[in-house]
Amino acid sequence: MKAVSTKDVLAQMARYHAWATEGLLSSIAQIPDEPYAKPCGLFFGSIHGTLNHLLLTDSQIWFPRFKSEPITSLPLDAELESDRVNLASRLIAATARWPDYVASLDEPTLADDLRYTMTTGQPRALPMTAALQHVFNHATHHRGQITAAISMLGFEFQPLDLPYLVFSELA
């Protein structure tokens, strides 16, 4: 069995993050506007609200932290994009940045801490690997909520489990 480095695992998770987001958005495209936007018991209300939350956390909070850029101070339920087509496009662009970012990291950076300021203004530090894992797991958590909502609405969704990405990369 081939040894896998932490960077290899994080690179796979970054690819998975982008791949699963695209797959989810493809499944959501079949849902009419009314159930897509209607509150359905998700933490951020609707599918649309949850996708906006993902866009906010991915593109306005976490990615800027890793790039040492200022973050946007908005509520976590802010609507960044009202148009669902534009929202999907922006989410795809936001998640597509992660694989290149992870590829750019060297071992000393991966062994260091990510120092950032929370949205509350508190300074924090997390091991770089834990911070990256959080970004990818956070999105997986909300994608799971959305797929449950899709099921409750009576629609189908494509499988988003990590092995499906691995199978596609081996093909």
Side-chain angles (χ1 to χ4, degrees):
M1 178 184 282
K2 176 185 159 191
V4 179
S5 70
T6 299
K7 185 171 178 175
D8 290 339
V9 171
L10 292 169
Q12 182 179 58
M13 292 311 299
R15 291 191 313 277
Y16 171 72
H17 180 49
W19 173 87
T21 298
E22 285 191 42
L24 178 68
L25 292 167
S26 176
S27 296
I28 289 170
Q30 68 183 316
I31 300 173
D33 288 343
E34 193 269 328
Y36 164 84
K38 183 178 179 181
C40 59
L42 299 180
F43 190 79
F44 293 97
S46 63
I47 292 170
H48 179 77
T50 304
L51 292 174
N52 263 285
H53 171 72
L54 286 172
L55 179 61
L56 173 73
T57 56
D58 210 275
S59 68
Q60 305 295 310
I61 297 176
W62 281 103
F63 198 80
R65 284 176 176 163
F66 284 96
K67 299 293 283 181
S68 299
E69 298 169 353
I71 65 165
T72 303
S73 183
L74 291 171
L76 294 176
D77 62 352
E79 183 180 58
L80 296 182
E81 186 62 64
S82 60
D83 180 85
R84 70 187 281 180
V85 173
N86 290 341
L87 175 56
S89 178
R90 289 179 67 186
L91 266 169
I92 289 169
T95 60
R97 298 185 303 180
W98 289 102
D100 287 341
Y101 174 73
V102 170
S104 76
L105 299 175
D106 57 22
E107 289 301 322
T109 302
L110 284 170
D112 203 359
D113 287 342
L114 173 68
R115 297 182 190 292
Y116 62 96
T117 302
M118 295 188 47
T119 56
T120 59
Q122 295 175 281
R124 285 290 169 107
L126 265 177
M128 180 66 77
T129 55
L132 286 165
Q133 288 171 323
H134 167 73
V135 168
F136 306 138
N137 285 332
H138 173 259
T140 298
H141 164 71
H142 288 298
R143 283 191 300 265
Q145 291 176 330
I146 293 170
T147 58
I150 292 170
S151 291
M152 288 186 292
L153 291 168
F155 293 95
E156 298 288 322
F157 59 89
Q158 68 183 58
L160 300 179
D161 293 325
L162 177 64
Y164 288 98
L165 168 67
V166 175
F167 297 147
S168 72
E169 290 178 339
L170 295 173

